[in-house]
Amino acid sequence: MKGILDKRSLSIFQNEFNNIFERVNALTISIEEVEWMDRYGVKAMTGLHDEALLKNKKLSIIGLGCKELYEHFKYKTTA
């Protein structure tokens, strides 16, 4: 992924990843070039993560691009 994932770009993200786990068993997303993500972007990525868990698929999020997403998962796992 590249750029900004926010409320305005959310529809593009949803179109790209809609039913993705019906087509693949494993997905790797690099967020190295994601400049920023608002709460809508974090929620979309979290939803993708939850869908992978629900369907017993593998999702890997790699890269150091977006601290907002890592902070979300960090707090979610420690809570």
Side-chain angles (χ1 to χ4, degrees), residues 29-46:
I29 298 175
S30 172
I31 60 168
E32 189 71 34
E33 295 186 43
V34 174
E35 299 168 30
W36 184 75
M37 195 178 291
D38 70 0
R39 65 185 174 118
Y40 296 98
V42 171
K43 185 176 178 182
M45 292 294 287
T46 303

Side-chain angles (χ1 to χ4, degrees), residues 2-73:
K2 195 179 207 179
I4 296 172
L5 181 56
D6 62 2
K7 188 175 182 178
R8 294 188 319 176
S9 62
L10 192 57
S11 63
I12 297 167
F13 177 88
Q14 290 170 333
N15 286 337
E16 287 294 320
F17 294 105
N18 187 33
N19 296 319
I20 189 69
F21 294 113
E22 302 298 323
R23 300 184 300 261
V24 301
N25 289 321
L27 177 65
T28 300
I29 298 175
S30 172
I31 60 168
E32 189 71 34
E33 295 186 43
V34 174
E35 299 168 30
W36 184 75
M37 195 178 291
D38 70 0
R39 65 185 174 118
Y40 296 98
V42 171
K43 185 176 178 182
M45 292 294 287
T46 303
L48 199 59
H49 172 261
D50 293 345
E51 182 182 356
L53 292 174
L54 181 69
K55 294 182 177 180
N56 201 28
K57 305 291 182 159
K58 294 180 182 179
L59 173 65
S60 300
I61 301 170
I62 61 171
L64 299 174
C66 186
K67 67 178 176 137
E68 291 85 7
L69 184 62
Y70 284 115
E71 287 175 3
H72 171 78
F73 281 110

